[in-house]
Amino acid sequence: MSDQAYEGLRQLASSNHRSMQEQVRLLIEREVRYAQVGGVERARHWRSLLAGRHFPDLAADIRADRSR
């Protein structure tokens, strides 16, 4: 592993309050899980989970808060 990759991993683990070993395990598990299900299938899954939900315009909410 290059020094740059090692340092990036160390920083990532630290920012997530994990040990480097935990961070590596999580990254490997995530990659394996994503490799098993294609991107289109994941998108369909999330669309079905979120179907019918209303998501507010957060930018409008922030603008309204700032104008108070």
Side-chain angles (χ1 to χ4, degrees):
M1 177 184 296
S2 71
D3 291 342
Q4 184 179 10
Y6 181 87
E7 182 59 26
L9 177 60
R10 188 191 67 72
Q11 290 176 2
L12 183 62
S14 177
S15 68
N16 289 318
H17 306 288
R18 295 186 181 106
S19 70
M20 287 182 59
Q21 182 177 1
E22 289 173 311
Q23 188 67 48
V24 168
R25 187 179 314 121
L26 176 80
L27 291 171
I28 292 170
E29 288 173 357
R30 187 180 299 161
E31 281 300 311
V32 168
R33 188 172 48 239
Y34 287 158
Q36 292 172 346
V37 178
V40 173
E41 289 82 11
R42 272 198 314 274
R44 283 186 188 127
H45 172 72
W46 279 104
R47 283 189 189 113
S48 70
L49 290 176
L50 300 174
R53 294 178 111 182
H54 171 72
F55 296 97
D57 182 358
L58 297 178
D61 292 344
I62 291 169
R63 281 192 293 277
D65 283 344
R66 288 180 179 167
S67 67
R68 288 187 213 176

